[in-house]
């Protein structure tokens, strides 16, 4: 009796258990990982509440730019999917940036930062736009002058970096921003719930899209925890996109490695929250997600996707939108007579 | 026995009760009013949670600008005292605005809005920068195209303005922003607590400054609930300031009323949170609060204030910093293919 009950349960599990009954889920689980609900640990930069909170202040601190107009949040706006929704960002003096601003959401899980991966982590990345002439146009020296001019910041750095002799440093600015940005994750998307075993979390159309996404080969470049962001690939594997989408002057990772095979190679972007982050591609030239899917089919897979396939894949991409981070605007310390004045020229 | 106890209590009250014992408090109470802890009611625009929340979204909505770069919060940043800390704001195409951005904090209590009072209330004010070519550079038509392109906004306007046939209107954009801005008040400053009877809320130096502020005549133009903002006054009552501080081309309220006596007349600014809102004056030319106090003494009162007096008045002004509003960044709906593209040229 006991034995036949055991066999009965095992037999039922074979046909109704999630692993055995859903080959789509099995295949998805072999390629993707759900986002955890909490910020990942950064091994060389442990988070503390004080450091995260300082990072939040610095992320919203316009005085990190020389004009006092731009903060990290200007181009990586947590109100709008961690991006600015522009083809390329507007920076100091109304300059246009060279590439579309990638989302800060879940960026901590990317293999490296920037479209060409030239920053190995978020703390290295954070130092870039602060100094870029067409972005925040500041310098490490100016940043330190700004921060040390405000007694409140000095106290907050001392608490965030206890025991350090000079806690207000450009490295620590970047480290604080990194641990804050690591909290900007978007768990609990329909896709994550599906991966966790909730078969009803995705619609039939989204599941069809997921199947196509894997079957057609999209998942070759967009996989892992971020559904992308994990490696580098040439843009135009099968066919070069038009010069509008892939401007000839931007050779991507070649500019980092100086290796011929890295010409027009870019880090695949995360597709998490992709419905929130138009326009698309490093050039920001494609505004419609369906069109972006079609372009990818053509140039990366050498396939003309049908309208039906594009609809289904686009529906699947919609299942990647997770719970957006709820962030309180920090109250920043007032400037003092020692704070460098904004430079708007 | 009962009677003698009664007299004893009354007698004690005569000498220790706040009203009788503190002529400074009496005088202050005759000129100023404490901020209430809750948003004031706007009589032609009743607040509901839905309307306030929609207003918060619109206040942080960069797509109200044609570039999709500027929101209300860009120049009236709740992180930095409700201002941008610039001489004059940077707007569309890197244009410099004509006047220093006034703080949004407690602005609901001002007699009217803008330095020249040309908007009678916050909902009228809100429409200005959205359309100004050197600010957000949009139009009512474009704003409505942007908002109606996103189904989520249509639902939110319907809930915020129930029973209206066309809830998504430029008027309602302004009304929602107004009720949100009315929540941006900063109660519980040391001065407010002093007014409420807490004699220890202000330092001796701050009280000395308060006494001077009233005695020298500063309170003639800066009084009421906002310690300013309640009426219009010529800049340079006793002596014209230098052309750097009072540029000849900006005739202030004259441009609104076309009345000769309104030349170089401006609404006195609120001094609440003034330590957070440098630089000062409509021209934004004075960065140091002590210097601003000295200039006011010279040009408005015809008095050369001593260093000691300037220190005390500046200390008093520091007692006007209240509890800053804690605002969660709203999560904004994604653009759709119908959303007008940003115009950055």
């Amino acid at each position: 009796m006991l034995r036949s009950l055991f066999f009965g349960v095992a037999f039922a599990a074979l046909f109704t258990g999630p692993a055995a009954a859903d080959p789509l889920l099995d295949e998805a689980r072999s390629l993707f990982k759900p986002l955890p609900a909490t910020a990942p640990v950064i091994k060389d930069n442990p988070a503390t509440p004080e450091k995260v909170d300082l990072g939040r202040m610095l992320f919203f601190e316009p005085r990190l730019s020389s004009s006092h107009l731009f903060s990290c949040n200007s181009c990586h706006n947590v109100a709008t999917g961690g991006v600015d929704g522009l083809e390329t960002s507007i920076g100091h003096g109304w300059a246009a940036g060279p590439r579309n601003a990638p989302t800060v959401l879940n960026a901590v899980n990317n293999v490296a930062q920037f479209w060409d991966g030239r920053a190995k982590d978020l703390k290295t990345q954070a130092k870039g736009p602060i100094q870029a002439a067409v972005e925040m146009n500041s310098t490490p020296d100016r940043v330190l002058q700004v921060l040390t001019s405000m007694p409140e910041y000095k106290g907050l750095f001392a608490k965030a970096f206890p025991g350090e002799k000079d806690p207000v440093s450009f490295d620590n600015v970047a480290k604080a921003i990194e641990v804050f940005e690591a909290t900007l994750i978007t768990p609990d998307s329909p896709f994550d719930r599906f991966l966790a075993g909730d078969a009803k979390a995705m619609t039939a159309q989204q599941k069809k899209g997921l199947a196509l996404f894997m079957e057609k080969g999209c998942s070759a470049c967009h996989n892992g925890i971020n559904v992308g962001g994990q490696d580098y690939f040439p843009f135009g594997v099968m066919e070069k996109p038009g010069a509008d989408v892939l401007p000839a002057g931007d050779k991507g990772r070649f500019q980092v490695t100086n290796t011929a095979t890295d010409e027009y190679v870019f880090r695949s972007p995360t597709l998490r929250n992709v419905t929130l982050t138009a326009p698309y591609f490093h050039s920001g030239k494609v505004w419609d997600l369906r069109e972006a899917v079609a372009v990818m089919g053509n140039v990366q897979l050498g396939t003309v996707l049908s309208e039906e396939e594009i609809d289904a894949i686009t529906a699947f991409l919609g299942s990647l939108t997770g719970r957006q981070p709820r962030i309180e605007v920090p109250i920043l310390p007032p400037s003092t007579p020692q704070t460098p004045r904004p430079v708007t020229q």
Side-chain angles (χ1 to χ4, degrees), chain A:
Chain A
M1 176 67 189
L2 251 181
R3 191 169 160 170
S4 84
L5 181 65
F6 174 75
F7 278 125
V9 169
F11 184 80
L14 206 65
F15 289 86
T16 63
D22 192 344
L24 182 71
L25 179 59
D26 281 350
E27 196 184 349
R29 281 178 170 169
S30 75
L31 287 167
F32 309 105
K33 280 203 299 187
L35 273 181
T38 53
V41 173
I42 299 164
K43 62 176 183 297
D44 59 347
N45 186 16
T48 60
E50 291 78 11
K51 203 194 281 185
V52 171
D53 209 51
L54 175 60
R56 180 173 62 105
M57 294 173 75
L58 296 171
F59 187 82
F60 283 91
E61 179 51 88
R63 291 164 294 188
L64 293 189
S65 67
S66 64
S67 66
H68 295 193
L69 179 62
F70 300 107
S71 70
C72 304
N73 193 66
S74 299
C75 300
H76 303 288
N77 193 338
V78 295
T80 53
V83 299
D84 55 12
L86 301 177
E87 198 170 292
T88 65
S89 298
I90 295 171
H92 191 83
W94 209 253
R99 292 181 188 141
N100 179 259
T103 181
V104 68
L105 302 179
N106 310 304
V108 65
N109 297 316
N110 291 337
V111 62
Q113 305 300 325
F114 295 117
W115 280 96
D116 54 18
R118 68 184 183 276
K120 70 178 198 303
D121 51 29
L122 286 169
K123 67 179 137 327
T124 312
Q125 189 281 335
K127 294 177 175 179
I130 293 175
Q131 299 177 78
V134 298
E135 299 184 54
M136 295 165 87
N137 191 42
S138 193
T139 62
D141 274 358
R142 185 184 161 98
V143 166
L144 297 189
Q145 276 176 47
V146 164
L147 296 172
T148 56
S149 73
M150 296 178 251
E152 190 179 330
Y153 267 127
K154 287 204 264 192
L156 294 170
F157 272 88
K159 281 179 188 153
F161 299 95
E164 294 195 16
K165 201 182 152 199
D166 292 308
V168 189
S169 67
F170 197 52
D171 279 345
N172 285 348
V173 168
K175 282 182 175 176
I177 291 173
E178 178 175 59
V179 294
F180 169 67
E181 290 182 340
T183 70
L184 301 178
I185 50 176
T186 62
D188 208 30
S189 70
F191 182 57
D192 286 311
R193 284 183 274 128
F194 174 78
L195 286 178
D198 177 1
K200 289 180 182 159
M202 288 170 73
T203 66
Q205 171 81 334
Q206 288 173 332
K207 287 181 189 173
K208 184 180 157 192
L210 167 59
L212 285 165
F213 190 84
M214 298 188 290
E215 176 191 321
K216 295 282 179 181
C218 312
S219 56
C221 299
H222 297 281
N223 57 51
I225 190 168
N226 263 4
V227 195
Q230 82 291 344
D231 208 345
Y232 303 92
F233 303 95
F235 193 4
V237 176
M238 302 302 287
E239 189 185 314
K240 274 263 169 300
D244 51 334
V245 170
L246 182 68
D250 184 353
K251 295 196 172 177
R253 195 157 166 76
F254 174 79
Q255 286 150 231
V256 181
T257 64
N258 213 28
T259 303
T261 52
D262 279 341
E263 279 196 359
Y264 304 108
V265 163
F266 295 88
R267 186 174 49 72
S268 67
T270 174
L271 297 180
R272 288 192 175 274
N273 307 295
V274 72
T275 57
L276 309 181
T277 63
Y280 302 110
F281 304 134
H282 68 287
S283 56
K285 286 290 184 189
V286 174
W287 287 82
D288 185 55
L289 186 54
R290 293 182 80 266
E291 188 187 337
V293 170
V295 168
M296 286 280 98
N298 295 340
V299 306
Q300 300 300 93
L301 306 172
T303 302
V304 179
L305 296 168
S306 70
E307 293 296 313
E308 209 187 320
E309 289 170 336
I310 293 171
D311 284 341
I313 292 172
T314 304
F316 162 62
L317 296 177
S319 79
L320 299 177
T321 303
R323 196 170 65 238
Q324 301 297 295
R326 300 284 176 167
I327 307 296
E328 190 182 273
V329 181
I331 303 302
L332 302 176
S335 293
T336 67
Q338 285 71 49
T339 308
R341 306 263 170 90
V343 177
T344 55
Q345 302 303 313

